[in-house]
Amino acid sequence: MKTYHVILAAVGGAIVGAAAALLTAPQSGDKTRTTVRDFLRSHCPGMKEHRINNLAEKIAEEIREAE
């Protein structure tokens, strides 16, 4: 039973570490906007292209300000 907990803790730590690395890794503004646009296109299929672009710009700007 202890081995299971150690493995579970290691896997959980790896997932949290990977998420933290992705969120804090520096990217260029273009790369950030592209990533956001791709995410919005795949998760919000009914959203118009100009709204996706505007939202991606706002999100990228907030990310830059937070750094």
Side-chain angles (χ1 to χ4, degrees), residues 27-41 49 52-64:
Q27 292 183 354
S28 68
D30 290 337
K31 177 69 175 157
T32 302
R33 283 188 291 278
T34 301
T35 302
V36 171
R37 280 187 197 112
D38 292 343
F39 178 85
L40 290 172
R41 284 184 188 118
E49 192 66 27
I52 289 174
N53 291 333
N54 289 342
L55 187 55
E57 288 291 329
K58 288 179 185 177
I59 291 171
E61 183 178 313
E62 288 184 25
I63 290 171
R64 274 183 294 217

Side-chain angles (χ1 to χ4, degrees), residues 10-26:
V11 170
I15 291 171
V16 170
L22 288 173
L23 292 174
T24 60

